[in-house]
Amino acid sequence: MKTPTLFTPLSIRGVSLRNRIAMSPMCQYCASDGVADDWHLVHLGSRAVGGAGLVMVEATAVSPAGRISPGCLGLWNDAQIEPLSRIAQFIRDQGSIPAIQLSHSGRKGSCHPSWAGGAPLTSEQGAWPILSASDVRFRAGDPMPQPATEAELERCLEDFAAAAQRATLAGFDVVEIHAAHGYLLHQFLSPFSNKRTDGYGGSFENRTRFLGQVVTRVREVIPDDAPLFVRLSATDWIPGAWSLEDSTRLAGDLKLHGVDLIDVSSGGIAANAEIPLERGYQVPFSRHIRDNADILTAAVGLITDVDQAEDVVASGDADLVFLGRAFLRDPYWPLRAQATLMHEVYVPAPYRSAFATSR
């Protein structure tokens, strides 16, 4: 019986994933001073036990000002390394690949967690100043972001590089740079939020410069055999803003700078964008970038069914599928998929007695 594509290994640089199923980074907003706790260990570790080929830690801030909320994970100081190291090692011990997403929230920071409404923090609640490409609010009533100076951009580059070094020390095999969903790097990419007139605004080359610099700094400090991913919003879903063709062009440029895979999402730059949410709605973007930029891609977004996920990778729409809410609902989704597609299931040793008999 031919092995389903979903359960074939995927090798990227010096890393080999046991299958094509990855857990998408999903913010939990329950860290203290950026430090991971037992919730993160169980949350992430259970998906590795459940058979994921790769487990991606949620958006992890490269500086205190880069947090979305006070509960965000961080890698801006050495005290944050050890708790994440414990998580990375547990993931690896289960046969999965530990990965981490590095992020700066930009104008979408200094907020309450989404599950607490997501409103901006007040000064009494510990609000901090927010940066962006330009002085353009995300939505009416939000605090006005300050356009980042070149000195602040250089500091941010140093923060990304330092966080990537700490991620390597913590034992993560894959680093992803978050340049999607309306956060700082996306704010520079999109003409909707970037109104600058200096070397970081205006033309495509200028608007993509900051991300290119981040990629270069991060690639320099992580091991040569460590894969580097970038998450992009393939489109802003707004006419005249960031487009699929922009993403495809950028993906080709990023490949030349050492990026190995584009994690293809969409939206997030505008609060009022109309996004046609439907089953697998972002998969065609992954296919387009994969075919036209000649780079590995991951598809994400309302991929929930086993046969659907198999079709995405078997048809060449993507090399990897990232599951989000489906993994929140079922930590053992990959085991169920294996049983469905292969009529057999890998079982962690401590659980095998439950499968040894029909009792």
Side-chain angles (χ1 to χ4, degrees):
M1 179 179 178
K2 181 182 177 182
T3 301
T5 307
L6 196 62
F7 287 94
T8 57
L10 175 64
S11 295
I12 311 175
R13 292 192 184 245
V15 170
S16 181
L17 281 63
R18 62 186 173 190
N19 58 47
R20 309 299 183 96
I21 305 167
M23 178 182 174
S24 196
M26 292 175 284
C27 289
Q28 301 298 291
Y29 302 119
C30 61
S32 177
D33 296 323
V35 176
D37 62 14
D38 287 349
W39 175 269
H40 299 94
L41 174 64
V42 175
H43 165 66
L44 296 161
S46 62
R47 275 70 191 179
V49 171
L54 178 145
V55 175
M56 181 79 72
V57 175
E58 66 196 74
T60 302
V62 300
S63 67
R67 294 172 296 166
I68 302 166
S69 82
C72 288
L73 286 178
L75 263 178
W76 63 79
N77 67 49
D78 291 350
Q80 295 158 339
I81 296 175
E82 193 280 329
L84 285 171
S85 178
R86 181 185 178 210
I87 292 169
Q89 187 59 54
F90 184 87
I91 291 170
R92 184 178 294 105
D93 288 346
Q94 312 317 309
S96 188
I97 298 299
I100 191 166
Q101 184 187 72
L102 302 180
S103 180
H104 191 297
S105 59
R107 68 178 187 172
K108 295 180 82 172
S110 191
C111 293
H112 290 280
S114 58
W115 42 257
L121 296 170
T122 65
S123 56
E124 292 76 17
Q125 294 166 332
W128 56 86
I130 52 176
L131 294 177
S132 186
S134 303
D135 54 350
V136 180
R137 291 183 174 92
F138 175 60
R139 57 194 166 197
D142 281 358
M144 180 66 74
Q146 296 302 307
T149 66
E150 291 200 14
E152 287 168 328
L153 293 181
E154 177 59 35
R155 191 176 309 119
C156 190
L157 291 174
E158 294 172 359
D159 290 338
F160 268 98
Q165 287 179 306
R166 293 187 182 102
T168 297
L169 290 172
F172 289 98
D173 294 327
V174 176
V175 171
E176 177 170 277
I177 297 169
H178 197 354
H181 300 168
Y183 297 117
L184 183 65
L185 297 177
H186 186 189
Q187 291 161 29
F188 273 83
L189 296 178
S190 177
F192 186 83
S193 51
N194 186 342
K195 308 298 181 183
R196 298 173 77 101
T197 57
D198 62 1
Y200 292 95
S203 67
F204 174 90
E205 292 79 7
N206 285 357
R207 286 182 285 109
T208 59
R209 177 170 285 120
F210 185 40
L211 174 56
Q213 291 173 335
V214 170
V215 165
T216 297
R217 294 284 188 97
V218 170
R219 184 75 265 177
E220 287 173 349
V221 301
I222 63 175
D224 289 342
D225 61 354
L228 178 59
F229 295 2
V230 172
R231 175 165 274 195
L232 292 178
S233 282
T235 175
D236 285 342
W237 298 105
I238 302 170
W242 186 257
S243 69
L244 177 58
E245 292 308 320
D246 290 329
S247 291
T248 305
R249 179 180 174 185
L250 176 58
D253 293 345
L254 293 175
K255 181 180 179 180
L256 297 177
H257 287 84
V259 172
D260 301 290
L261 179 143
I262 303 297
D263 179 2
V264 184
S265 191
S266 70
I269 201 69
N272 60 351
E274 295 185 7
I275 301 177
L277 297 175
E278 59 185 13
R279 186 175 184 267
Y281 69 107
Q282 295 172 156
V283 171
F285 302 149
S286 171
R287 182 61 183 252
H288 189 276
I289 292 171
R290 186 177 188 266
D291 287 352
N292 292 281
D294 189 27
I295 191 169
L296 299 176
T297 63
V300 64
L302 293 182
I303 298 171
T304 58
D305 300 332
V306 173
D307 290 340
Q308 175 195 12
E310 166 65 13
D311 182 64
V312 168
V313 292
S315 67
D317 287 335
D319 300 280
L320 188 66
V321 290
F322 272 102
L323 304 183
R325 291 178 176 87
F327 253 133
L328 295 183
R329 290 188 288 266
D330 181 2
Y332 302 102
W333 194 98
L335 301 185
R336 181 164 55 82
Q338 189 176 30
T340 299
L341 295 174
M342 301 173 68
H343 307 293
E344 62 181 54
V345 62
Y346 156 81
V347 182
Y351 289 178
R352 287 176 188 164
S353 62
F355 293 82
T357 70
S358 59
R359 290 180 296 163

